[in-house]
Each structure stands twice: as structure tokens, then as C-alpha cells.
């Protein structure tokens, strides 16, 4: 398709010129480009692509495979390392995010409990102080402390 604009040569042609609807005007494409999404490869896809890459023998076959599948050579290198480390049965299944650490979970739980014990000890010290102040105040005011049960010492 050729993008040509109509040219008007003289003022006389202006009167007989076609209307603005027939003049071709270049406008930007109003279509919004969608946001790219990260591709996720299943275990079966990875193994299929690796098998196809292993079958490549001629010069340029791997490049053609990479272009056809729309992947980078780093994908192949990573998948081959994973396959070599784990074997084909469990290879290539990697979940994103932090890995579960049972020893770390136990350490965190111990730390949480130690923090709670420290908080409760501080609360106990405050409670003992309040009780002592109440006893002294009741003695100063001459109130009977016989109603309150005595605490064992």
C-alpha cells in the first residue's frame, strides 16, 4: 500500500478538489499494544524442545529451532543443566519464590517463643510493682488487707 497525499496545484483546483474524505491523511495507529507476559514452559515442552535440540546435527539447526520455538540459547543451557543435575524424571520442574526451609522455620518459632517469654516477664515485673504499690497504699490509708488472700512466698 502506498501512502501518497493528493497534491493540489492551483487555487482553481481547490474549488474542484475532492472533499477531505477522499484525501488520504496519515494518522497514528490507535491500536494499543498489549503488555508482554512472561512465558512459562511446562515440563513436557522443555523435554520436547531438549529432545529436538539433541537431534540437531547440521550447522544452523539449533539456531533454526531456537527461532521456531521463540526461545534463547540460555534457556537450552539452563534446561540441560537442570536435566543433568536431577535426571529426566524430576528435572525442569522449578517453582518460583522462596524455598521452604524446615530448619529456618524451627529457628523462627524458637525466636518467637523467646520473644513472647521476654514480653511476659516484663509484664510480670510491672504487675508485681503495681501489687506492691497497692499494698503500701492500703497500709498508708489504713485499709484492711485481711480480705485479700495472701500470696505464697
Amino acid at each position: 500500500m502506498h501512502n501518497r497525499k493528493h497534491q493540489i496545484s492551483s487555487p482553481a483546483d481547490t474549488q474542484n478538489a475532492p472533499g477531505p474524505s477522499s484525501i488520504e491523511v496519515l494518522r497514528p495507529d490507535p491500536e494499543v499494544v498489549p503488555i508482554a507476559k512472561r512465558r512459562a514452559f511446562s515440563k513436557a515442552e522443555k523435554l520436547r524442545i531438549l529432545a529436538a535440540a539433541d537431534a540437531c546435527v547440521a550447522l544452523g539447526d539449533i539456531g533454526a529451532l531456537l527461532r521456531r520455538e521463540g526461545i534463547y540459547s540460555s534457556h537450552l543451557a539452563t534446561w540441560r543443566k537442570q536435566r543433568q543435575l536431577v535426571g529426566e524424571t524430576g528435572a525442569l520442574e522449578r517453582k518460583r519464590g522462596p524455598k521452604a526451609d524446615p530448619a529456618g522455620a524451627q529457628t523462627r518459632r524458637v525466636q518467637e517463643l523467646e520473644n513472647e517469654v521476654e514480653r511476659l516477664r516484663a509484664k510480670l515485673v510491672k504487675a508485681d510493682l503495681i501489687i506492691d504499690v497497692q499494698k503500701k497504699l492500703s497500709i498508708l490509708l489504713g485499709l484492711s488487707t485481711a480480705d485479700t488472700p495472701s500470696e505464697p512466698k
Side-chain angles (χ1 to χ4, degrees), residues 11 38 47 53 73 81 110 116 124 135 141 145 148:
R38 177 180 220 131
L47 290 173
S73 61
K81 286 177 187 174
V110 167
E116 185 178 0
L124 179 62
K135 284 182 184 177
L141 294 176
T145 57
T148 59

Side-chain angles (χ1 to χ4, degrees), residues 39-100:
R39 257 178 92 185
F41 295 94
S42 69
K43 179 181 174 181
E45 286 177 307
K46 292 176 184 180
L47 290 173
R48 178 187 57 80
I49 294 171
L50 281 175
D54 292 341
C56 292
V57 290
L59 186 64
D61 282 352
I62 290 184
L65 173 72
L66 294 175
R67 286 188 298 276
R68 184 173 57 243
E69 295 294 339
I71 61 174
Y72 295 104
S73 61
S74 61
H75 287 119
L76 281 181
T78 303
W79 297 342
R80 284 177 175 155
K81 286 177 187 174
Q82 289 173 352
R83 182 177 63 180
Q84 185 179 18
L85 287 175
V86 182
E88 292 215 14
T89 56
L92 313 173
E93 278 301 317
R94 254 187 38 200
K95 293 186 179 181
R96 296 174 55 100
K99 308 301 179 250

Side-chain angles (χ1 to χ4, degrees), residues 121-131:
R121 283 185 180 155
K123 194 173 180 179
L124 179 62
V125 168
K126 289 178 186 176
D128 284 341
L129 181 64
I130 291 172
I131 291 171

Side-chain angles (χ1 to χ4, degrees), residues 10-21:
S10 69
D13 291 339
T14 309
Q15 296 167 356
N16 298 331
S21 61

Side-chain angles (χ1 to χ4, degrees), residues 143-150:
L143 299 175
S144 171
T145 57
D147 297 352
T148 59
S150 62

